Amino acid sequence: MSEPAPTAPPPTALGPLAVGVDIGGTKVAAGVVDARGRVLRRTRRDTPHRSKSPRHVEDTIVAVVEDLVAHGDDVVAVGIGAAGFVAADRSTVVFAPHLSWRQEPLRESLGRRLALPVFVDNDANAAAWAEHRFGAGRGESHLVMVNLGTGIGGGIVLDGRVVRGRFGIAGEFGHMRVVPDGLRCECGNRGCWEQYASGNALVREARALMSANSPVATDLFARVGGRPEDLTGPLVTEAAREGDALARELLGEIGRWLGVGIADLAAALDPGTFVIGGGVSAAGDLLLGPARQAFAGQLTGRGYRPSAKIVQAELGNEAGLVGAADLARVGAAGMAWADAGDTAMPSGGAAVPADGT
Protein backbone atom coordinates (compact mmCIF):
# COMPACT_ATOMS: atom_id res chain seq x y z
CA MET A 1 0.00 0.00 0.00
CA SER A 2 1.40 3.43 -0.99
CA GLU A 3 2.25 6.01 1.64
CA PRO A 4 -0.21 8.91 1.95
CA ALA A 5 0.97 12.17 0.40
CA PRO A 6 2.55 14.49 3.01
CA THR A 7 0.49 17.46 4.00
CA ALA A 8 1.73 20.91 5.00
CA PRO A 9 1.71 21.53 8.75
CA PRO A 10 -0.89 23.95 10.01
CA PRO A 11 0.40 27.51 10.50
CA THR A 12 0.47 27.20 14.29
CA ALA A 13 2.88 24.25 13.96
CA LEU A 14 5.42 26.75 12.63
CA GLY A 15 5.13 29.04 15.66
CA PRO A 16 2.60 31.50 17.03
CA LEU A 17 0.90 33.94 14.69
CA ALA A 18 0.63 37.71 15.01
CA VAL A 19 -1.21 40.47 13.22
CA GLY A 20 0.82 43.30 11.73
CA VAL A 21 -0.75 46.65 10.84
CA ASP A 22 1.10 49.19 8.69
CA ILE A 23 -0.45 52.66 8.93
CA GLY A 24 0.40 55.25 6.32
CA GLY A 25 -1.06 58.51 5.16
CA THR A 26 -3.31 56.84 2.58
CA LYS A 27 -3.75 53.19 3.59
CA VAL A 28 -4.01 50.83 6.54
CA ALA A 29 -2.58 47.47 5.46
CA ALA A 30 -2.73 44.47 7.78
CA GLY A 31 -1.99 40.77 7.72
CA VAL A 32 -1.67 37.61 9.76
CA VAL A 33 2.02 36.68 9.81
CA ASP A 34 3.62 33.41 10.88
CA ALA A 35 6.97 32.85 12.58
CA ARG A 36 8.74 32.59 9.22
CA GLY A 37 7.56 36.02 8.14
CA ARG A 38 4.96 34.72 5.70
CA VAL A 39 1.72 36.67 5.33
CA LEU A 40 -1.10 34.16 5.55
CA ARG A 41 -4.03 36.55 5.19
CA ARG A 42 -4.26 40.21 4.19
CA THR A 43 -6.66 43.10 4.32
CA ARG A 44 -6.44 46.79 3.48
CA ARG A 45 -8.51 49.92 4.00
CA ASP A 46 -8.14 53.60 3.25
CA THR A 47 -6.72 55.76 6.03
CA PRO A 48 -9.35 58.21 7.30
CA HIS A 49 -8.61 61.77 6.29
CA ARG A 50 -6.07 63.52 8.53
CA SER A 51 -8.58 66.22 9.51
CA LYS A 52 -10.68 63.67 11.37
CA SER A 53 -10.09 62.82 15.01
CA PRO A 54 -7.55 60.15 16.01
CA ARG A 55 -10.50 57.96 16.96
CA HIS A 56 -11.34 57.45 13.28
CA VAL A 57 -7.93 55.91 12.59
CA GLU A 58 -8.23 53.80 15.74
CA ASP A 59 -11.62 52.54 14.56
CA THR A 60 -10.06 51.48 11.25
CA ILE A 61 -7.23 49.62 13.02
CA VAL A 62 -9.67 47.76 15.25
CA ALA A 63 -11.81 46.85 12.24
CA VAL A 64 -8.95 45.33 10.24
CA VAL A 65 -7.63 43.39 13.25
CA GLU A 66 -11.07 42.03 14.10
CA ASP A 67 -11.57 41.06 10.45
CA LEU A 68 -8.32 39.07 10.47
CA VAL A 69 -8.74 37.31 13.81
CA ALA A 70 -12.35 36.39 13.03
CA HIS A 71 -11.05 33.48 10.95
CA GLY A 72 -10.06 31.63 14.11
CA ASP A 73 -6.28 31.80 13.76
CA ASP A 74 -4.27 31.42 16.95
CA VAL A 75 -3.04 35.02 17.07
CA VAL A 76 -0.96 35.98 20.12
CA ALA A 77 -0.34 39.71 19.59
CA VAL A 78 -0.91 42.76 17.40
CA GLY A 79 1.91 44.96 16.12
CA ILE A 80 1.30 48.48 14.84
CA GLY A 81 3.79 50.21 12.54
CA ALA A 82 3.01 53.95 12.45
CA ALA A 83 4.51 56.61 10.20
CA GLY A 84 5.66 59.09 12.83
CA PHE A 85 7.59 59.48 16.05
CA VAL A 86 6.87 56.69 18.52
CA ALA A 87 8.08 57.00 22.11
CA ALA A 88 10.67 54.52 23.39
CA ASP A 89 7.97 52.82 25.48
CA ARG A 90 6.38 51.52 22.23
CA SER A 91 3.09 52.88 23.47
CA THR A 92 2.67 56.54 22.56
CA VAL A 93 2.70 58.11 19.10
CA VAL A 94 4.40 61.41 19.84
CA PHE A 95 3.83 62.95 16.42
CA ALA A 96 2.37 61.58 13.18
CA PRO A 97 1.88 64.39 10.67
CA HIS A 98 -0.47 62.47 8.38
CA LEU A 99 -2.64 60.99 11.11
CA SER A 100 -3.44 63.92 13.44
CA TRP A 101 -1.76 62.05 16.33
CA ARG A 102 -0.07 64.22 18.95
CA GLN A 103 1.03 62.42 22.15
CA GLU A 104 -1.55 59.76 21.31
CA PRO A 105 -1.61 56.84 23.83
CA LEU A 106 -2.28 54.39 21.01
CA ARG A 107 -1.35 51.13 22.72
CA GLU A 108 -3.52 51.92 25.72
CA SER A 109 -6.45 52.95 23.53
CA LEU A 110 -6.25 49.85 21.34
CA GLY A 111 -5.65 47.61 24.36
CA ARG A 112 -9.05 48.58 25.73
CA ARG A 113 -10.72 47.42 22.52
CA LEU A 114 -8.69 44.39 21.45
CA ALA A 115 -8.40 41.21 23.49
CA LEU A 116 -4.71 40.84 22.54
CA PRO A 117 -1.39 42.38 23.61
CA VAL A 118 -0.60 45.41 21.44
CA PHE A 119 2.82 46.80 20.52
CA VAL A 120 3.39 50.07 18.66
CA ASP A 121 6.52 50.98 16.73
CA ASN A 122 7.73 53.31 14.02
CA ASP A 123 7.03 51.85 10.57
CA ALA A 124 10.67 52.18 9.49
CA ASN A 125 11.82 50.26 12.59
CA ALA A 126 9.34 47.54 11.68
CA ALA A 127 10.56 47.39 8.07
CA ALA A 128 14.20 47.21 9.18
CA TRP A 129 13.37 44.37 11.55
CA ALA A 130 11.57 42.48 8.78
CA GLU A 131 14.54 42.79 6.41
CA HIS A 132 16.87 41.70 9.23
CA ARG A 133 14.79 38.65 10.06
CA PHE A 134 13.39 37.55 6.71
CA GLY A 135 14.71 39.73 3.89
CA ALA A 136 17.92 41.17 2.45
CA GLY A 137 19.60 41.34 5.88
CA ARG A 138 19.10 37.72 6.94
CA GLY A 139 22.05 36.58 9.03
CA GLU A 140 23.39 40.12 9.53
CA SER A 141 23.61 41.19 13.18
CA HIS A 142 24.40 44.86 12.40
CA LEU A 143 22.05 46.32 9.81
CA VAL A 144 20.95 49.82 8.84
CA MET A 145 17.94 50.25 6.57
CA VAL A 146 17.54 53.43 4.53
CA ASN A 147 14.10 54.04 3.02
CA LEU A 148 14.03 56.37 0.02
CA GLY A 149 10.56 57.68 -0.61
CA THR A 150 9.14 61.18 -0.49
CA GLY A 151 11.84 61.78 2.11
CA ILE A 152 14.37 59.51 3.81
CA GLY A 153 13.70 57.42 6.89
CA GLY A 154 15.23 54.30 8.26
CA GLY A 155 15.80 51.81 11.02
CA ILE A 156 18.76 50.42 12.93
CA VAL A 157 19.39 46.86 14.10
CA LEU A 158 22.60 46.43 16.08
CA ASP A 159 23.62 43.20 17.81
CA GLY A 160 20.31 41.79 16.62
CA ARG A 161 18.23 44.43 18.43
CA VAL A 162 16.21 47.36 17.17
CA VAL A 163 17.82 50.63 18.25
CA ARG A 164 15.10 53.18 18.96
CA GLY A 165 17.11 55.81 20.83
CA ARG A 166 16.57 57.36 24.23
CA PHE A 167 13.36 59.06 23.11
CA GLY A 168 12.31 56.57 20.43
CA ILE A 169 13.18 58.81 17.48
CA ALA A 170 16.38 57.20 16.14
CA GLY A 171 16.53 56.61 12.40
CA GLU A 172 15.45 60.02 11.10
CA PHE A 173 18.37 59.94 8.70
CA GLY A 174 16.83 62.27 6.16
CA HIS A 175 17.47 65.25 8.41
CA MET A 176 21.21 64.80 8.73
CA ARG A 177 22.75 67.94 7.25
CA VAL A 178 25.04 67.01 4.37
CA VAL A 179 25.33 70.47 2.76
CA PRO A 180 25.88 73.44 5.11
CA ASP A 181 23.44 76.22 4.18
CA GLY A 182 22.08 74.02 1.38
CA LEU A 183 18.54 73.64 0.12
CA ARG A 184 15.75 74.47 2.56
CA CYS A 185 14.05 71.39 4.00
CA GLU A 186 10.44 71.11 5.15
CA CYS A 187 11.78 70.51 8.68
CA GLY A 188 13.02 74.12 8.70
CA ASN A 189 16.75 73.42 8.38
CA ARG A 190 18.97 73.70 5.33
CA GLY A 191 21.03 71.04 3.60
CA CYS A 192 19.20 67.95 4.87
CA TRP A 193 20.13 64.65 3.20
CA GLU A 194 16.61 64.06 1.89
CA GLN A 195 16.83 67.23 -0.18
CA TYR A 196 19.49 65.48 -2.28
CA ALA A 197 18.81 61.74 -2.15
CA SER A 198 15.04 61.14 -2.08
CA GLY A 199 12.12 60.68 -4.43
CA ASN A 200 11.25 64.34 -3.98
CA ALA A 201 14.78 65.36 -4.98
CA LEU A 202 14.66 63.15 -8.08
CA VAL A 203 11.36 64.62 -9.28
CA ARG A 204 12.33 68.19 -8.37
CA GLU A 205 15.46 68.09 -10.51
CA ALA A 206 13.65 66.50 -13.46
CA ARG A 207 10.80 69.02 -13.33
CA ALA A 208 13.26 71.91 -13.13
CA LEU A 209 14.84 70.87 -16.42
CA MET A 210 11.44 70.34 -18.01
CA SER A 211 10.18 73.73 -16.84
CA ALA A 212 13.29 75.30 -18.38
CA ASN A 213 12.42 73.60 -21.69
CA SER A 214 15.75 71.82 -21.68
CA PRO A 215 16.23 69.72 -24.81
CA VAL A 216 17.67 66.90 -22.69
CA ALA A 217 14.21 66.43 -21.14
CA THR A 218 12.45 65.59 -24.42
CA ASP A 219 11.69 61.99 -23.48
CA LEU A 220 10.30 62.94 -20.05
CA PHE A 221 8.13 65.61 -21.69
CA ALA A 222 6.67 62.98 -24.00
CA ARG A 223 5.87 60.63 -21.12
CA VAL A 224 3.68 63.22 -19.37
CA GLY A 225 2.18 64.97 -22.39
CA GLY A 226 4.25 68.11 -21.82
CA ARG A 227 3.02 68.57 -18.22
CA PRO A 228 5.97 68.64 -15.77
CA GLU A 229 3.56 68.58 -12.82
CA ASP A 230 2.48 65.06 -13.83
CA LEU A 231 5.98 63.62 -13.61
CA THR A 232 6.58 61.06 -10.84
CA GLY A 233 9.56 59.14 -9.54
CA PRO A 234 8.38 55.81 -11.03
CA LEU A 235 8.13 57.46 -14.45
CA VAL A 236 11.72 58.68 -14.16
CA THR A 237 12.82 55.17 -13.18
CA GLU A 238 10.89 53.68 -16.09
CA ALA A 239 12.58 56.11 -18.49
CA ALA A 240 16.00 55.25 -17.06
CA ARG A 241 15.40 51.53 -17.52
CA GLU A 242 14.46 52.19 -21.13
CA GLY A 243 17.69 54.04 -21.75
CA ASP A 244 16.82 57.73 -21.35
CA ALA A 245 20.13 59.51 -20.71
CA LEU A 246 18.70 62.28 -18.51
CA ALA A 247 16.77 59.86 -16.28
CA ARG A 248 19.89 57.75 -15.82
CA GLU A 249 21.94 60.83 -15.01
CA LEU A 250 19.39 61.99 -12.42
CA LEU A 251 19.25 58.58 -10.74
CA GLY A 252 23.04 58.50 -10.74
CA GLU A 253 23.12 61.85 -8.96
CA ILE A 254 20.61 60.66 -6.35
CA GLY A 255 22.71 57.52 -5.94
CA ARG A 256 25.91 59.49 -5.38
CA TRP A 257 24.26 61.55 -2.65
CA LEU A 258 22.93 58.31 -1.18
CA GLY A 259 26.47 56.95 -0.99
CA VAL A 260 27.74 60.12 0.69
CA GLY A 261 25.12 59.89 3.43
CA ILE A 262 25.64 56.18 3.92
CA ALA A 263 29.35 56.79 4.46
CA ASP A 264 28.44 59.17 7.29
CA LEU A 265 26.16 56.52 8.79
CA ALA A 266 28.94 53.94 8.53
CA ALA A 267 31.27 56.24 10.47
CA ALA A 268 28.69 56.51 13.25
CA LEU A 269 27.16 53.02 13.37
CA ASP A 270 29.56 50.64 11.56
CA PRO A 271 26.96 48.15 10.27
CA GLY A 272 27.78 45.14 8.13
CA THR A 273 24.94 45.77 5.68
CA PHE A 274 22.94 48.72 4.44
CA VAL A 275 19.53 47.73 3.08
CA ILE A 276 18.02 50.28 0.70
CA GLY A 277 14.23 50.28 0.52
CA GLY A 278 11.41 52.61 -0.41
CA GLY A 279 9.98 53.43 -3.81
CA VAL A 280 13.19 54.88 -5.28
CA SER A 281 15.04 51.62 -4.59
CA ALA A 282 13.06 50.05 -7.44
CA ALA A 283 15.71 51.57 -9.74
CA GLY A 284 18.09 48.83 -8.55
CA ASP A 285 21.67 49.15 -9.77
CA LEU A 286 20.89 52.37 -11.65
CA LEU A 287 20.74 53.84 -8.14
CA LEU A 288 22.87 51.45 -6.10
CA GLY A 289 25.81 51.34 -8.49
CA PRO A 290 26.58 55.07 -8.10
CA ALA A 291 25.81 54.78 -4.36
CA ARG A 292 28.39 52.03 -3.89
CA GLN A 293 30.98 54.00 -5.83
CA ALA A 294 30.41 57.19 -3.81
CA PHE A 295 30.37 55.21 -0.55
CA ALA A 296 33.72 53.63 -1.37
CA GLY A 297 35.20 57.05 -2.08
CA GLN A 298 33.82 58.75 1.06
CA LEU A 299 34.16 56.03 3.70
CA THR A 300 36.34 57.04 6.62
CA GLY A 301 39.41 54.79 6.77
CA ARG A 302 38.75 53.46 3.26
CA GLY A 303 41.29 50.88 2.24
CA TYR A 304 42.12 50.01 5.84
CA ARG A 305 38.80 48.75 7.18
CA PRO A 306 36.07 46.30 6.19
CA SER A 307 33.35 47.85 4.04
CA ALA A 308 29.63 47.30 4.52
CA LYS A 309 27.50 45.78 1.80
CA ILE A 310 24.83 47.94 0.14
CA VAL A 311 21.87 45.83 -1.01
CA GLN A 312 18.33 46.36 -2.21
CA ALA A 313 15.46 45.50 0.14
CA GLU A 314 13.56 42.30 -0.65
CA LEU A 315 10.21 42.52 1.12
CA GLY A 316 8.76 45.56 -0.66
CA ASN A 317 5.56 47.12 0.61
CA GLU A 318 4.88 44.29 3.07
CA ALA A 319 8.03 44.86 5.15
CA GLY A 320 6.24 47.19 7.56
CA LEU A 321 3.38 44.86 8.45
CA VAL A 322 5.65 41.78 8.56
CA GLY A 323 8.09 43.52 10.89
CA ALA A 324 5.36 44.96 13.11
CA ALA A 325 3.80 41.51 13.47
CA ASP A 326 7.11 39.82 14.27
CA LEU A 327 8.14 42.44 16.82
CA ALA A 328 4.78 41.98 18.53
CA ARG A 329 5.05 38.19 18.43
CA VAL A 330 8.50 38.06 20.00
CA GLY A 331 7.63 40.87 22.41
CA ALA A 332 4.56 39.04 23.67
CA ALA A 333 6.68 35.92 24.13
CA GLY A 334 9.19 37.87 26.24
CA MET A 335 12.03 37.51 23.75
CA ALA A 336 14.03 40.52 24.86
CA TRP A 337 16.44 40.32 21.92
CA ALA A 338 13.76 42.13 19.88
CA ASP A 339 13.30 44.93 22.38
CA ALA A 340 16.62 46.79 22.21
CA GLY A 341 17.17 46.17 25.91
CA ASP A 342 14.11 48.13 26.98
CA THR A 343 11.19 46.96 29.07
CA ALA A 344 8.21 46.25 26.87
CA MET A 345 4.78 46.12 28.44
CA PRO A 346 1.97 44.85 26.22
CA SER A 347 -1.37 46.41 27.00
CA GLY A 348 -3.23 44.46 29.62
CA GLY A 349 -0.15 42.44 30.56
CA ALA A 350 2.86 42.42 32.83
CA ALA A 351 6.19 43.97 31.92
CA VAL A 352 8.69 41.87 30.01
CA PRO A 353 12.11 42.31 31.69
CA ALA A 354 15.01 43.11 29.39
CA ASP A 355 16.76 39.88 30.31
CA GLY A 356 13.81 37.86 29.08
CA THR A 357 13.05 36.31 32.45
Side-chain angles (χ1 to χ4, degrees):
M1 190 168 103
S2 61
E3 293 290 326
T7 58
T12 51
L14 302 176
L17 306 179
V19 169
V21 184
D22 185 16
I23 307 167
T26 60
K27 67 171 176 31
V28 176
V32 176
V33 182
D34 71 12
R36 294 182 182 177
R38 297 180 299 185
V39 183
L40 307 180
R41 188 173 293 105
R42 299 169 177 82
T43 189
R44 172 175 170 157
R45 300 196 183 188
D46 292 338
T47 303
H49 191 272
R50 62 186 295 178
S51 66
K52 296 182 178 179
S53 73
R55 176 77 180 205
H56 286 80
V57 183
E58 180 187 307
D59 290 343
T60 303
I61 296 169
V62 171
V64 297
V65 172
E66 289 180 340
D67 179 43
L68 290 169
V69 301
H71 294 272
D73 296 322
D74 185 19
V75 173
V76 298
V78 176
I80 310 294
F85 295 167
V86 178
D89 63 2
R90 298 174 66 191
S91 177
T92 304
V93 181
V94 177
F95 174 68
H98 301 296
L99 300 170
S100 299
W101 284 342
R102 308 292 186 268
Q103 299 293 335
E104 182 67 23
L106 185 61
R107 188 166 70 184
E108 180 182 347
S109 298
L110 292 175
R112 289 195 293 263
R113 302 178 63 180
L114 296 171
L116 289 165
V118 176
F119 294 85
V120 180
D121 219 319
N122 172 266
D123 59 346
N125 287 344
W129 181 254
E131 292 290 346
H132 161 68
R133 290 270 284 143
F134 311 113
R138 289 187 303 275
E140 175 59 73
S141 62
H142 289 64
L143 173 151
V144 172
M145 186 169 184
V146 179
N147 286 321
L148 304 181
T150 302
I152 299 178
I156 306 165
V157 178
L158 299 181
D159 281 330
R161 294 184 174 191
V162 177
V163 176
R164 300 180 176 88
R166 174 63 179 84
F167 304 106
I169 308 175
E172 293 295 324
F173 306 137
H175 300 291
M176 300 187 307
R177 297 179 69 194
V178 296
V179 180
D181 299 320
L183 295 171
R184 177 75 72 180
C185 180
E186 292 178 0
C187 75
N189 291 329
R190 288 187 178 274
C192 291
W193 189 24
E194 67 180 41
Q195 293 303 309
Y196 302 88
S198 66
N200 268 3
L202 176 66
V203 173
R204 182 193 65 227
E205 294 302 304
R207 286 178 178 172
L209 287 166
M210 295 170 71
S211 297
N213 291 312
S214 172
V216 300
T218 301
D219 180 67
L220 296 182
F221 262 120
R223 290 174 185 270
V224 294
R227 293 170 54 86
E229 63 271 22
D230 290 342
L231 188 71
T232 63
L235 281 175
V236 177
T237 298
E238 178 184 278
R241 285 175 173 160
E242 295 175 4
D244 179 66
L246 173 61
R248 285 174 172 256
E249 179 182 338
L250 292 172
L251 276 170
E253 185 175 342
I254 295 297
R256 285 188 289 276
W257 278 113
L258 174 62
V260 168
I262 286 176
D264 287 345
L265 290 173
L269 300 171
D270 191 31
T273 300
F274 286 97
V275 176
I276 312 303
V280 185
S281 71
D285 282 342
L286 291 170
L287 174 80
L288 298 187
R292 294 182 183 114
Q293 185 175 6
F295 174 74
Q298 295 286 326
L299 181 63
T300 301
R302 52 194 175 275
Y304 297 96
R305 56 168 287 177
S307 181
K309 295 184 294 183
I310 301 174
V311 300
Q312 186 175 357
E314 294 181 0
L315 300 181
N317 292 333
E318 291 199 323
L321 75 86
V322 169
D326 197 63
L327 284 167
R329 183 181 66 81
V330 297
M335 299 178 188
W337 44 271
D339 291 324
D342 59 13
T343 299
M345 182 180 290
S347 58
V352 179
D355 62 3
T357 59

